[in-house]
């Protein structure tokens, strides 16, 4: 199978990289493969009020609407507000705490030394993840040779679904053919 994940789902997909022979490829967006601990967080994420706000236990009303706007930028239409309000209040602080601790293997090292093909996509206007950090990641099995930039924010799957679907399909086809790790791309490629 090919795993595909966004944000926390992308982090989970990257954690499963090379974990089982059934995982033939991993695609992640809005999920920086960072070194462990606080330094890794500082290098890979924008240390903004928005990031701190996103780690709050719960959001209701206007706070949930603001969080939707952070995640979906100009595509925010209120349809995710209820979902943000229903998130288990223990989840966000637990995720924030785990990001700050040095637990497990560095995801950056995993990506840069992976045996399994990896496809990283990044929204150029992501308010949480640093574009410069994503551009610095390289590895022998990185699909396209580098992170592919999308003219979107933190949720390119929602803002640019056609681009993401086309990219996932191309990656899946390359994984099936065994050529995903052999495809190179021009510098700083932009999708969509």
């Amino acid at each position: 199978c090919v795993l595909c994940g966004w944000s926390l789902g992308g982090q989970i997909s990257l954690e499963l990289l090379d974990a089982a022979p059934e995982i033939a490829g991993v695609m992640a967006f809005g999920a920086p493969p960072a070194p462990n601990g606080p330094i890794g967080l500082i290098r890979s994420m924008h240390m903004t009020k928005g990031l701190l706000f996103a780690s709050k236990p719960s959001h209701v009303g206007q706070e949930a609407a603001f969080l939707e706007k952070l995640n979906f930028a100009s595509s925010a239409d209120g349809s995710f507000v209820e979902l943000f309000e229903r998130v288990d209040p223990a989840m966000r602080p637990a995720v924030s705490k785990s990001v700050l601790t040095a637990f497990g293997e560095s995801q950056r090292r995993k990506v840069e030394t992976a045996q399994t093909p990896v496809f990283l996509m990044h929204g150029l206007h992501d308010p949480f993840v640093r574009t410069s950090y994503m551009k610095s990641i390289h590895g022998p099995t990185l699909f396209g040779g580098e992170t592919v930039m999308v003219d979107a924010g933190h949720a390119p799957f929602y803002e640019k679904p056609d681009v993401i679907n086309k990219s996932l399909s191309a990656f899946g086809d390359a994984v099936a053919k065994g050529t995903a790790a052999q495809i190179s791309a021009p510098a700083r490629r932009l999708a969509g």
Side-chain angles (χ1 to χ4, degrees), residues 94-172:
V95 169
S96 297
K97 182 179 177 183
S98 71
V99 167
L100 290 171
T101 60
F103 177 75
E105 184 180 356
S106 161
Q107 283 191 342
R108 181 176 184 130
R109 189 174 311 120
K110 283 180 89 163
V111 166
E112 292 182 334
T113 63
Q115 300 299 304
T116 304
V118 180
F119 188 12
L120 297 176
M121 294 190 85
H122 177 66
L124 282 170
H125 314 292
D126 191 318
F128 303 116
V129 182
R130 292 182 188 274
T131 299
S132 58
Y133 178 80
M134 294 302 293
K135 288 179 178 180
S136 74
I137 299 167
H138 303 282
T141 62
L142 191 58
F143 185 65
E146 64 189 0
T147 302
V148 173
M149 300 295 150
V150 181
D151 188 20
H154 186 62
F157 72 94
Y158 191 72
E159 296 174 67
K160 303 283 184 171
D162 292 341
V163 171
I164 299 300
N165 290 337
K166 184 178 174 182
S167 299
L168 178 57
S169 180
F171 180 57

Side-chain angles (χ1 to χ4, degrees), residues 60-73:
V60 293
Q62 291 300 318
E63 286 186 348
F66 178 68
L67 189 57
E68 180 191 51
K69 182 80 171 162
L70 280 175
N71 279 278
F72 300 108

Side-chain angles (χ1 to χ4, degrees), residues 34-35 37-47 99-100 130 133:
I39 299 300
L41 181 67
I42 291 167
R43 288 181 61 207
S44 64
M45 306 289 282
H46 293 292
M47 296 294 112
V99 167
L100 290 171
R130 292 182 188 274
Y133 178 80

Side-chain angles (χ1 to χ4, degrees), residues 10 14 19 35-36 59 70 80 85 163 168 180 186:
L14 292 170
N36 288 338
H59 301 89
L70 280 175
F80 288 89
E85 291 177 332
V163 171
L168 178 57

